[in-house]
Structures are given as C-alpha cells and as structure tokens.
Amino acid sequence: MIIILSLIIMFVSGVVVFCLSHKHLLLTLFSMEFLVLSLYFMFFMFLLWSGCEIYFILFFLVFSVCEGALGLGVLVSMIRSHGNDFLSSLSILSW
C-alpha cells in the first residue's frame, strides 16, 4: 500500500513540476524523464502483481530512451542556434 501511495506521489509531483517549469527546456526535459520513470515503476508493479509477461517493460524502456535522446537532440540544437534554453526564445511572436 505504501508503494502505491509513493508512486502516485511521484507521478503527481512530476506533473506539478512539468506544469510549473515553463522557462527552461532542460527543466522540462528533466520533469518529463521523472514522469517516465514513475510510469515505469507503476507499469512494473502492475505487471508484477498481475502475473503478466514483463517483456512489455522492455518496449517501454526502448521508447523512453528514444524520447530522452530526441529531447537531448532538440536541446543541443536549440542551444547551438539560439544560445540558450529558454522556451520563450522559440516563439515566433516574441522579438
């Protein structure tokens, strides 16, 4: 029971940080990775308790690693082109 409560608190805190970190791309990526990690633990516990195959976790990890690599690629590209990681510099309307 305490594990389920801690996983729910992890997920909710990750969502709160994701909603509040709207200035820097790196903070947004960190909060997204924290959300993926908490979802991974929830998925693992669900599959472990239900007695299903655990091979689904491998696919989840592959897609989460691809998402992390894509996010880091966008971050590096943005820093090279704009010189910072502020999300406000991506807007076309702000000069």
Side-chain angles (χ1 to χ4, degrees):
M1 186 65 183
I2 192 82
I3 295 173
I4 296 171
L5 185 64
S6 65
L7 289 174
I8 291 172
I9 289 172
M10 277 178 63
F11 183 75
V12 169
S13 65
V15 169
V16 167
V17 170
F18 181 73
C19 290
L20 294 178
S21 66
H22 57 275
K23 288 191 176 192
H24 295 281
L25 183 63
L26 186 61
L27 290 174
T28 307
L29 289 174
F30 279 153
S31 62
M32 283 177 57
E33 289 300 322
F34 187 74
L35 281 171
V36 166
L37 186 65
S38 65
L39 284 174
Y40 171 74
F41 285 141
M42 285 183 197
F43 197 46
F44 178 72
M45 289 297 171
F46 173 72
L47 288 177
L48 193 67
W49 287 333
S50 65
C52 294
E53 294 290 327
I54 309 237
Y55 293 112
F56 295 116
I57 294 177
L58 182 65
F59 293 117
F60 184 77
L61 278 177
V62 166
F63 284 116
S64 65
V65 166
C66 291
E67 177 258 337
L70 183 66
L72 285 175
V74 168
L75 178 69
V76 168
S77 170
M78 183 178 167
I79 289 176
R80 284 186 179 178
S81 65
H82 295 290
N84 57 17
D85 69 333
F86 292 126
L87 290 175
S88 63
S89 65
L90 288 178
S91 177
I92 299 173
L93 298 176
S94 66
W95 289 83

